[in-house]
Amino acid sequence: MTEVAASDQLLVVIDPVARRTDGESVRIAKDVLSAGAATKVCLPEGPEEFARALARRGSRRPVVVGDDRALLRAVSLLHRQRELAGCGVSLVPVGGVLSLARALGVPVGAVAAARAVLDGVERRLDLLVDESDGVVLGALRIPPVGAGGGMRGAEEVDMGGVGSFGRFGDSGSSGGSGGSGGFGSFGSFGGGASGLGGHAWLRTCQSLVRTLAARPARVASVPGPGPSRLRVEVDGVTLVDLDQPVEAVSVTPGVAGGAEVEVRPVSVGAEASPLRVVGRRVTVSGADFRYRADSVVSGPVRTRTWTVREGGWGLTLPS
């Protein structure tokens, strides 16, 4: 456990999703960090700029302002650069997906999290690494929980084609005289006639805009996961084989340098008890399957092996 000096130079990388989601929390976190340490603030607009900022950090300690996905992106990049051993990560959670941050013990308030970055301690934590250089910080689940809605988050509706509330369907006329092909302003309809007709259209259009803004974009429906036929091996020993269908498999690092593996067989008649073991190397194989690693759904794959890296990464937490 390493003491984190408040005089450290910080590289504050603010995820674009955090800036759009909660700009006020981002501002508060930036102010607290800047008041307590020498900071360089980066505002990447995409994954490439995010990766470039981390690669050019020099001796600065990286501080991610963002949600679980931003933290996972930073740790994954440092792992691929083989720099996790000598570079701890700090997090100020901002955004809508913060379950991993809470599980890891990071404060979720902007002020408390920023103070923890300045005054906290770096703790070495276990993680899972697969053969394709993917990392798992919190939990791995097969099939991914909530596969119907977990493949993609709710998308924002693009309201650019609707126009402003003051003009709907305007075909280019600058006045409210109702040129051909458009409704003109909400206050007029057709050829400038106002009154009940205009108010009715106003209410209709306002209702439509409210409905579109509140409803997430429609995504392709994904069938609910059914029983899977998977072979699960832990440290070379087969825990369950293809002839026994399973409802779910979960792998969680952080158990005395190992990972807790839980397999829930399909119940036939009496309810089957889950199988639980602890191991350092877990291999899952079978028909094409998807899995959720923290907040990211991956696959389909036919086989994947995860290995525990004890103390493989460092996270600043309250002292």
Side-chain angles (χ1 to χ4, degrees):
M1 197 157 49
T2 306
E3 291 291 338
V4 177
S7 59
D8 281 353
Q9 291 186 331
L10 305 179
L11 174 70
V12 181
V13 184
I14 304 177
D15 187 69
V17 176
R19 302 200 300 269
R20 293 194 298 266
T21 302
D22 190 350
E24 180 65 13
S25 292
V26 169
R27 183 191 64 79
I28 293 171
K30 186 170 61 172
D31 289 348
V32 174
L33 293 171
S34 298
T39 61
K40 177 179 180 181
V41 177
C42 294
L43 306 174
E45 291 297 336
E48 290 183 359
E49 292 184 12
F50 192 101
R52 192 157 50 244
L54 276 182
R56 297 175 178 175
R57 69 186 181 280
S59 60
R60 298 181 183 92
R61 178 160 56 96
V63 179
V64 177
V65 180
D67 62 4
D68 293 349
R69 287 171 290 227
L71 172 64
L72 186 61
R73 185 183 307 120
V75 175
S76 297
L77 288 168
L78 291 171
H79 167 68
R80 293 189 182 101
Q81 296 165 4
R82 301 300 184 257
E83 295 183 357
L84 272 180
C87 179
V89 179
S90 300
L91 174 68
V92 178
V94 177
V97 184
L98 303 178
S99 56
L100 174 60
R102 291 189 181 94
L104 292 172
V106 180
V108 293
V111 174
R115 293 306 311 174
V117 171
L118 297 171
D119 304 328
V121 294
E122 180 185 310
R123 301 182 188 276
R124 303 302 299 183
L125 305 174
D126 297 352
L127 78 161
L128 297 173
V129 177
D130 65 39
E131 66 270 38
S132 65
D133 259 356
V135 301
V136 183
L137 307 182
L140 166 77
R141 303 192 185 282
I142 309 170
V145 177
M151 301 300 217
R152 295 172 57 187
E155 298 177 355
E156 294 180 2
V157 177
D158 182 6
M159 303 298 290
V162 175
S164 65
F165 288 124
R167 190 166 301 281
F168 182 82
D170 191 1
S171 61
S173 60
S174 60
S177 58
S180 61
F183 293 132
S185 65
F186 278 138
S188 62
F189 175 71
S194 61
L196 294 177
H199 290 299
W201 273 102
L202 172 61
R203 289 193 295 271
T204 300
C205 292
Q206 286 176 331
S207 176
L208 173 62
V209 170
R210 282 194 299 268
T211 300
L212 287 173
R215 180 185 302 170
R218 188 180 300 274
V219 297
S221 60
V222 180
S228 303
R229 292 187 178 273
L230 301 170
R231 176 182 292 115
V232 180
E233 301 171 74
V234 181
D235 293 338
V237 178
T238 300
L239 186 61
V240 64
D241 215 332
L242 298 172
D243 58 352
Q244 185 176 11
V246 299
E247 292 182 354
V249 179
S250 66
V251 185
T252 307
V255 184
E260 181 177 341
V261 183
E262 179 179 287
V263 178
R264 292 186 173 273
V266 172
S267 299
V268 180
E271 182 176 358
S273 300
L275 307 174
R276 295 187 180 93
V277 296
V278 174
R280 298 184 61 88
R281 183 180 176 90
V282 182
T283 299
V284 180
S285 56
D288 291 347
F289 63 91
R290 296 182 184 273
Y291 60 91
R292 178 184 291 273
D294 298 320
S295 58
V296 178
V297 175
S298 301
V301 296
R302 294 200 171 186
T303 184
R304 184 117 294 173
T305 297
W306 292 272
T307 303
V308 177
R309 296 280 179 88
E310 185 173 2
W313 71 296
L315 177 65
T316 304
L317 294 172
S319 55

